[in-house]
Amino acid sequence: MAISQHSIYEPLTESTAVALAIRLRLFKEGQVLHCEEIGDGNLNLVFHITAQGKQKGIIIKQALPYAKVVGESWPLSLKRATIESNALLFAAEYVPTLVPKVFYTDETLAITVMEDLSHLQIARAGLIEGKTFPLLSEHIGTYLAKTLFYTSDFGLEPSKKKLLVQKFINPDLCKITEDLVFTDPFFDIDTNSFEPELQKDVEEIWADQPLKFEVAKLKQKFLTQADALLHGDLHTGSIFASETETKVIDPEFAFFGPLGFDIGQFIANLLLNAVSRAEQDREPLFTHIENTWDVFTTAFTELWINEGVEVYRNVDGYLEYALQQAFEDAIGFAGCEVIRRTIGLAHVADLDGIDDLERIIQAKQHALRLGKELIRNRKTIDSLENLRSYVSTTETP
Ligand code: SR1
Ligand code: MG
């Protein structure tokens, strides 16, 4: 993988992206190239370049100096492109089959050139269509166990970890999460976005002081608890999948945070898909949630026993304590994510895409009730069975 430096930043266009690919010799001489900007996320440009007659091309992802979803009034550091490529390269050391290959990065242009995954589908889109992606939870459980263990003080010598913590300081992107996940949805703030039919439900949240106290505690963990290198935005739109493959993309929010955060975001986005469905169609989502946690704990436990570096690792109860804390936090973070994806700035197609307004409102009210219960009861939700029963008891008021 080459790393290069251009002298000035400029946003690419479809034609300058092709020129760059040619200059970098990413295609054979003489090939006719086609390029399309396909970025449908909130922040970046994504160029898909293919050679005529070939299925697989390359992706050039470029950070813009502002949040695309809002515009130039919301400046954002370009350093996130470097964070993203470093996080992908780092993850490739532990889970090479679960992340895209990085071919090239340029810090000044804020680009990462990577493997074309267009033979796969974004997991959120597939789940909305009713696909089950049978290996999704096994792969994500493994991804979580390895990336979290090997970057935590349980699996990495603490002085090495501290150097990595420095490398992944990511204030702009952390601020997005601090605001959009942990703050704005719980206050009457302009960035929130919800249907007028939800006004009463939302005002109840804004007035709920005990709930806000619990969210404040979860936010404090996110702000201060540098347990392990997180993906930082592990929703189902950050995962490409098929029947046989899973690839985790977009780790531009990576930073050292609490062990339960990525797990909670992934679970939350499966729950958001579950509440968008009729009760009898939810089983595949519950199975994925259960299996993610099982695979995660089994793999994390094996790593702890066989590769742990913490001197206290054999003390009775310590592993169970660490896993229990991660689970409790994950449930709380999941509650915050469910609420913010329902009434905050950045929504999900699982709910917004339901084809009937009455059903949208019902599903969103369900999501809000569920999110609140997860935050409030995270200390007593001690099994996946328990979690499943909250989905059902919050179906109606
Ligand atoms: C302004 S960015 C909004 C959201 O998009 C990203 O994917 C993150 O989830 C962020 O919170
Ligand atoms: Mg993203």
Side-chain angles (χ1 to χ4, degrees), residues 41-44 61 231 233 235 237-238 249-250 252-253:
N42 295 320
L43 301 176
N44 306 295
K61 179 169 175 181
H231 176 283
D233 195 26
H235 56 84
S238 298
I249 61 165
D250 273 7
E252 67 200 308
F253 284 73

Side-chain angles (χ1 to χ4, degrees), residues 90 94 149-162 164 256 307-310:
F90 211 72
Y94 308 120
F149 177 81
Y150 283 120
T151 60
S152 73
D153 291 295
F154 305 127
L156 181 63
E157 207 270 307
S159 60
K160 289 190 186 142
K161 183 191 153 199
K162 286 178 184 70
L164 271 187
F256 274 77
E307 299 187 46
V309 298
E310 168 54 60

Side-chain angles (χ1 to χ4, degrees), residues 42 124 191-195 198 339-352 364:
N42 295 320
R124 186 186 305 289
T191 55
N192 291 325
S193 160
F194 52 86
E195 293 77 359
L198 294 176
I339 291 177
R340 78 91 171 216
R341 293 291 185 189
T342 308
I343 60 172
L345 174 85
H347 286 204
V348 288
D350 312 58
L351 297 179
D352 283 357
K364 289 191 175 183

Side-chain angles (χ1 to χ4, degrees), residues 346-379:
H347 286 204
V348 288
D350 312 58
L351 297 179
D352 283 357
I354 297 173
D355 55 13
D356 169 73
L357 180 63
E358 204 180 320
R359 282 187 50 238
I360 292 185
I361 300 303
Q362 278 168 6
K364 289 191 175 183
Q365 287 171 328
H366 184 188
L368 294 179
R369 285 190 293 269
L370 174 62
K372 288 194 285 188
E373 292 304 312
L374 298 184
I375 293 167
R376 286 181 188 132
N377 298 303
R378 64 190 187 282
K379 287 187 191 305

Side-chain angles (χ1 to χ4, degrees), residues 42-280:
N42 295 320
L43 301 176
N44 306 295
L45 297 172
V46 180
F47 298 93
H48 181 211
I49 307 181
T50 46
Q52 203 171 37
K54 303 271 179 203
Q55 285 266 303
K56 204 160 176 166
I58 57 159
I59 292 292
I60 302 183
K61 179 169 175 181
Q62 184 179 41
L64 287 165
Y66 53 85
K68 196 171 78 177
V69 65
V70 175
E72 295 187 32
S73 61
W74 188 339
L76 269 189
S77 156
L78 294 174
K79 196 191 160 211
R80 68 185 192 276
T82 307
I83 296 259
E84 171 159 346
S85 43
N86 284 340
L88 285 173
L89 292 169
F90 211 72
E93 288 182 28
Y94 308 120
V95 281
T97 61
L98 300 178
V99 287
K101 289 190 184 68
V102 173
F103 302 133
Y104 175 83
T105 70
D106 183 306
E107 292 202 19
T108 309
L109 276 182
I111 60 164
T112 307
V113 181
M114 62 190 127
E115 187 182 358
D116 176 8
L117 298 173
S118 54
H119 63 294
L120 307 176
Q121 184 180 24
I122 287 292
R124 186 186 305 289
L127 291 171
I128 291 171
E129 286 172 12
K131 294 204 176 121
T132 49
F133 300 126
L135 298 179
L136 179 67
S137 40
E138 166 146 4
H139 288 161
I140 296 299
T142 304
Y143 171 93
L144 288 165
K146 292 194 175 173
T147 57
L148 295 174
F149 177 81
Y150 283 120
T151 60
S152 73
D153 291 295
F154 305 127
L156 181 63
E157 207 270 307
S159 60
K160 289 190 186 142
K161 183 191 153 199
K162 286 178 184 70
L163 292 175
L164 271 187
V165 172
Q166 276 182 329
K167 189 169 169 179
F168 285 96
I169 294 288
N170 196 358
D172 279 22
L173 285 272
C174 284
K175 180 168 167 34
I176 291 179
T177 305
E178 289 150 22
D179 291 347
L180 297 189
V181 177
F182 291 108
T183 310
D184 299 1
F186 300 92
F187 293 87
D188 184 0
I189 286 177
D190 281 355
T191 55
N192 291 325
S193 160
F194 52 86
E195 293 77 359
E197 289 84 348
L198 294 176
Q199 186 71 30
K200 185 169 161 288
D201 308 85
V202 175
E203 281 177 6
E204 271 172 31
I205 289 178
W206 293 342
D208 190 335
Q209 294 300 318
L211 179 77
K212 288 165 88 162
F213 183 28
E214 295 309 314
V215 176
K217 293 181 200 166
L218 289 160
K219 180 179 176 185
Q220 188 197 22
K221 277 179 178 277
F222 183 83
L223 285 163
T224 61
Q225 204 173 295
D227 288 337
L229 179 60
L230 307 183
H231 176 283
D233 195 26
L234 193 58
H235 56 84
T236 47
S238 298
I239 300 169
F240 269 111
S242 72
E243 291 271 304
T244 54
E245 277 183 275
T246 308
K247 304 272 184 189
V248 176
I249 61 165
D250 273 7
E252 67 200 308
F253 284 73
F255 83 113
F256 274 77
L259 218 49
F261 187 75
D262 283 350
I263 306 168
Q265 283 214 316
F266 182 60
I267 290 176
N269 282 271
L270 295 177
L271 289 173
L272 284 160
N273 188 273
V275 302
S276 77
R277 299 181 179 201
E279 199 163 4
Q280 67 273 14

